[in-house]
Amino acid sequence: MVYRYESEEDAFEDPEPGSDLDVLGAGPPPPAGPSPSRFPAPSLPRPNQLVLPSNQPPSAPRVTPPMAAPRSRVYTSAQPVEPSARRGGGRLWQVVIGGAAVLVLLALCGLGAAALLLDRDATPQPTPTYQPNAAPSATAQQQDLDSRDTDQAPLTAKELFPNKELKLADGQPAYQVLKTQSSGSCAVAATDEVADLLVRLGCNQVVRATLRSPGGEHLVTTGLFNLTDRANAERARDRIRQILDERQGRFRGLTAGDDTDALTSAPARVGWQVRGHYLAYALVVRSDGAAVKSGDTKVRDVLFDMIEAHLSRGVLQRRADLGTAGQPTGASTEGSGSQSGSEDGN
C-alpha cells in the first residue's frame, strides 16, 4: 500500500486595516510630529515592503503609494516561508512546522506498515535446518543403478545367492541352490554372437547360479550381467532376441552334477530383463531333458520368480536402497525367448 501525502494550502488574504498583519496601511497620512507606535521597535526591511529613500528630509511626511500591497500566501510545505507569515507571529509558524512533522511521521509509519504487510504476504522461503538425529529420507538413500559410475561396487555370489535355499515368500516352497559362479568374463555364460555382443557393450562381470525348482521338475540357471550403463544394457536386450531367433548364439546353462546335464543339451526357455546397467536372465529346462512346451505355466512361473521376484525386486532393489545417491532407478524391461540345445554340449 502506498500512502500519498498532499499538502493543504492556507492563504492569508490582504490583511484588514488595523490588524496585526497590517504592514502599510491605506488610510490618511499620519500627522506630523512624533506619535505613539504600535510596535516599539521598527522591523527590518523586507523584500516585498516599500521603503522610502534614505535621502528624504526627516521632516517630510510619509507618503503611501497609490496601489495596494501584493498578496502573499504561505504553503504548508518545505518552501521558504513568505515574510507576511513571519509577521503573523512565532506561534503560527510552530503550529505549521509541528503539523508538517506529524504528517511526515504518519506517512513514514504507514510506509513501514505497508512494507510489513507485503513481506508477510510474500511466499515464505523455508530455511533448511540440520537435524543430526533425523533419519534420511527414502529418496536420499536411493542408489542410481543406471551406470557403473554411480554403482561401482561389484556383484558377489553371496549377494545374489546367500543361502543353499532360496525362498521368495513365507509359506512358499524354496528353490534349492545347487551351484554358484562369479566371473569377470561374460563370455562364460553365453556363446557366439551373444557372448560377442556382451563384450562389445562393456560387460565385465557375470554372477549366476543353478537352482532346482521346488517340485524338482525344472532346472534353472539365472544371474546378472554387469554392463557399463543402462543404454548398453538396453542395446543388449534388444539385440539378443534377434540373435536367438537366428540361432547365432545362446545363453549357457551352468551344470552342477550329472543330473543337471539337461542345462547344456536340452531345449530351453529363456527370459531377460534390464534394470539399471544390469541384464538379468534365466534359462529353464525340464529336468528329464524333454522339450519345453510354449504354454507351460510352470516354466513361466520359474522365469518370473528368478528374474522379477528375486533378481529385480530382491537383489537389485536392496542394492538401490542401500546406496547413497539421490536418483531413483528406472523401470525394468524384459524379454523372453527359446533356444535349442547345444550341439557341443555347452
Side-chain angles (χ1 to χ4, degrees):
M1 180 180 295
V2 179
Y3 289 83
R4 184 179 179 183
Y5 172 68
E6 296 181 356
S7 63
E8 298 178 355
E9 67 180 48
D10 296 330
F12 292 100
E13 302 293 340
D14 292 335
E16 296 293 335
S19 67
D20 290 343
L21 299 180
D22 185 15
V23 179
L24 298 177
S35 61
S37 174
R38 182 181 301 272
F39 301 99
S43 302
L44 296 176
R46 296 291 187 266
N48 63 344
Q49 290 180 335
L50 297 177
V51 181
L52 294 176
S54 58
N55 58 358
Q56 185 175 353
S59 60
R62 299 178 64 184
V63 179
T64 303
M67 59 185 303
R71 294 184 179 183
S72 62
R73 292 184 178 182
V74 176
Y75 296 90
T76 57
S77 68
Q79 299 288 333
V81 181
E82 292 291 336
S84 59
R86 294 181 182 178
R87 294 294 300 273
R91 180 174 298 177
L92 177 60
W93 176 243
Q94 293 176 359
V95 171
V96 169
I97 295 298
V102 171
L103 292 176
V104 171
L105 180 61
L106 291 176
L108 292 176
C109 293
L111 292 175
L116 290 175
L117 290 176
L118 291 175
D119 184 67
R120 182 176 299 176
D121 293 338
T123 304
Q125 299 294 330
T127 302
T129 56
Y130 175 67
Q131 300 178 356
N133 296 326
S137 63
T139 302
Q141 292 181 347
Q142 287 293 309
Q143 174 78 18
D144 182 7
L145 300 183
D146 285 350
S147 172
R148 280 206 300 257
D149 293 337
T150 56
D151 177 35
Q152 299 180 1
L155 298 168
T156 63
K158 190 71 173 179
E159 179 183 0
L160 272 65
F161 308 100
N163 304 309
K164 293 296 184 181
E165 290 186 345
L166 176 62
K167 184 178 290 187
L168 299 176
D170 294 338
Q172 291 186 3
Y175 286 83
Q176 183 181 1
V177 180
L178 303 178
K179 185 177 180 179
T180 64
Q181 181 188 55
S182 178
S183 176
S185 174
C186 297
V188 302
T191 68
D192 302 329
E193 291 192 14
V194 175
D196 294 341
L197 174 68
L198 294 171
V199 173
R200 287 200 310 271
L201 296 177
C203 183
N204 68 348
Q205 184 187 24
V206 59
V207 177
R208 59 178 181 162
T210 290
L211 301 89
R212 194 184 302 275
S213 66
E217 298 179 357
H218 298 88
L219 295 170
V220 54
T221 295
T222 185
L224 292 172
F225 291 100
N226 189 343
L227 289 94
T228 57
D229 52 34
R230 182 181 178 88
N232 280 341
E234 291 178 344
R235 291 188 184 99
R237 175 203 61 196
D238 298 339
R239 175 64 176 144
I240 284 171
R241 178 181 293 278
Q242 182 180 0
I243 294 175
L244 294 180
D245 290 344
E246 295 175 353
R247 298 191 178 187
Q248 299 299 316
R250 63 190 300 272
F251 289 104
R252 292 177 183 265
L254 176 65
T255 58
D258 294 340
D259 57 349
T260 61
D261 289 341
L263 287 167
T264 60
S265 59
R269 188 72 179 176
V270 294
W272 58 97
Q273 173 178 293
V274 167
R275 179 164 184 178
H277 64 101
Y278 297 102
L279 177 70
Y281 84 103
L283 177 152
V284 183
V285 298
R286 289 179 57 93
S287 299
D288 57 8
V292 177
K293 297 180 180 180
S294 60
D296 192 333
T297 59
K298 292 184 179 180
V299 171
R300 291 202 300 268
D301 291 343
V302 173
L303 290 174
F304 177 85
D305 287 348
M306 294 298 103
I307 298 174
E308 179 64 27
H310 176 55
L311 294 177
S312 180
R313 299 181 187 178
V315 175
L316 294 179
Q317 187 61 50
R318 283 194 303 269
R319 174 169 280 250
D321 291 341
L322 294 177
T324 57
Q327 298 181 6
T329 59
S332 57
T333 55
E334 65 178 6
S336 63
S338 61
Q339 62 182 34
S340 60
S342 171
E343 296 178 357
D344 300 331
N346 294 328

